[in-house]
Amino acid sequence: MNPNKDQTDPRVIRTRILIKEAFIELLTEMDIEKMSVSRIAERATISRVTFYLHYRDIPDMLEKMADEMIKEIEEALRGKPVNPDSREGADWLRLEKLLEHIAQHASFYKVTLASRKAPIFTERLLSMLTEIITERYDHVEKDSFTYKAGIQKDIAVWHRSSALIGTIVSWLRQDMPYTPHFLAKQFYLLTSRKQDTNF
Amino acid sequence: MNPNKDQTDPRVIRTRILIKEAFIELLTEMDIEKMSVSRIAERATISRVTFYLHYRDIPDMLEKMADEMIKEIEEALRGKPVNPDSREGADWLRLEKLLEHIAQHASFYKVTLASRKAPIFTERLLSMLTEIITERYDHVEKDSFTYKAGIQKDIAVWHRSSALIGTIVSWLRQDMPYTPHFLAKQFYLLTSRKQDTNF
DNA sequence: AGACTTATTTTACAGTGTGTAAGATAATGA
DNA sequence: TCATTATCTTACACACTGTAAAATAAGTCT
């Protein structure tokens, strides 16, 4: 396949959308173990052979879909780039943006992130969040609580990034009972120590 | 099979150990997608038919192994039962006990928890930890920071339990660079607000 | 519009794994 | 020693995989 036409040929676009939709549908209906190229092709109303023209196998498909997901999340967060000098308020807005994006595509994220059927999606998002949190840690937390309390940077990063992704997953699993704005604010309260001075 | 003899017949015990060891070995070598009953039986030096005498299929095997894991963790934590009146110090000891148990069986937990190849194990442990944290929250945190700051109980529980399991997973993934004692203490510092008064 | 390029389809094939059945063998326990 | 039963051997029908070749259909370009 011509790598340039890949992204523009309407037949290719159509097929990939059909595969993605079929995959999401099937994943809501069954466990990942029962997923097969045959089933996906059948549901997508394409030939099984066509699947192999796009993906080597199912793991390859998952990987490429995860790549796409990360790209879309980065796209959604654009406009509020990672700013080393930003204060917590700015990051809180970025989290709200992330949650809004997830809420807008809830049917996709509920299956890929919240179902835990295909760990690769959660893994990718965790990596991304870990990067952001690691960067942020050096720049804006030099004088924060954790810094002073003698907490190892890597442990603090593990703690924060997993708390973040875990909270998002739980929120999705329970069908988003809070608005992105409210949850982002609560998360900010839980993570930052700013509020300590109020009590 | 006689359900009573199931647990005592040395042939049964031997076979299940062989299957478990073969499974762990194979999972370190390949992705879960490539796992098959044939491979497990071959590695375990048992007949493929024998596998089906113990487990319906691979998902069934994973489920039963996860049950076993939870039992063993509960066993390891016994002696320090969930005490509603316990102060943070006691819980900190329980976390240290958990980490010690995991460290002692690192080869098993590195594959089941840290590899993220079989999400069921992480899911089960998360459920267990969520239960413990939920119970604890009502009893010992009535006057804690989160309570006063107007943070929803469920959000706080999501945050804490996912931070806990995520930290454990990251610690395992990086081959446990800290002692259980040290990590438990750091986790305690990160979660509790007691230290705030020191600064 | 017509000629091209190429994505998709159809059909076919060899290979691997699944889950179950029957009877033979070997280990266990009383 | 003898009855029990876990394991093994062999066999079978079925499903899914990954690839190939040639035909068809859809898109692109002048």
Side-chain angles (χ1 to χ4, degrees), chain A residues 1 9 11-12 15 47 49-50 53-54:
Chain A
M1 279 190 282
D9 191 320
R11 292 171 295 181
V12 172
T15 299
S47 160
V49 175
T50 303
L53 294 174
H54 293 270

Side-chain angles (χ1 to χ4, degrees), chain A residues 80 83-96 136-137 139-146 160 184-185 187-189 191-195:
Chain A
K80 291 274 180 187
N83 181 0
D85 300 326
S86 70
R87 285 172 315 175
E88 290 84 351
D91 260 29
W92 168 61
L93 278 175
R94 276 168 53 76
L95 175 54
E96 187 176 337
R136 211 184 93 85
Y137 196 84
H139 290 104
V140 309
E141 304 217 10
K142 281 241 158 39
D143 56 350
S144 74
F145 154 74
T146 55
R160 291 187 180 195
K185 198 167 181 182
F187 192 86
Y188 173 61
L189 288 175
T191 303
S192 108
R193 300 278 157 160
K194 277 287 160 57
Q195 296 302 318

Side-chain angles (χ1 to χ4, degrees), chain B residues 95-135:
Chain B
L95 175 55
E96 188 176 337
K97 262 197 162 183
L98 173 60
L99 296 178
E100 272 167 1
H101 168 76
I102 291 173
Q104 274 161 20
H105 304 83
S107 66
F108 175 78
Y109 287 109
K110 238 185 104 69
V111 180
T112 53
L113 293 183
S115 77
R116 296 215 190 262
K117 285 172 180 172
I120 187 171
F121 294 99
T122 321
E123 243 176 292
R124 287 286 175 83
L125 183 53
L126 176 59
S127 297
M128 185 190 159
L129 296 176
T130 301
E131 262 182 53
I132 293 175
I133 288 172
T134 303
E135 272 182 30

Side-chain angles (χ1 to χ4, degrees), chain B residues 1-2 9 11-12 15 46-47 49-50 53-54:
Chain B
M1 282 190 280
N2 184 331
D9 191 321
R11 291 173 295 181
V12 172
T15 299
I46 62 163
S47 161
V49 175
T50 303
L53 293 175
H54 294 270

Side-chain angles (χ1 to χ4, degrees), chain B residues 162-175:
Chain B
S162 54
L164 180 48
I165 193 143
T167 301
I168 292 172
V169 166
S170 297
W171 175 66
L172 266 171
R173 284 186 155 184
Q174 312 217 353
D175 292 307

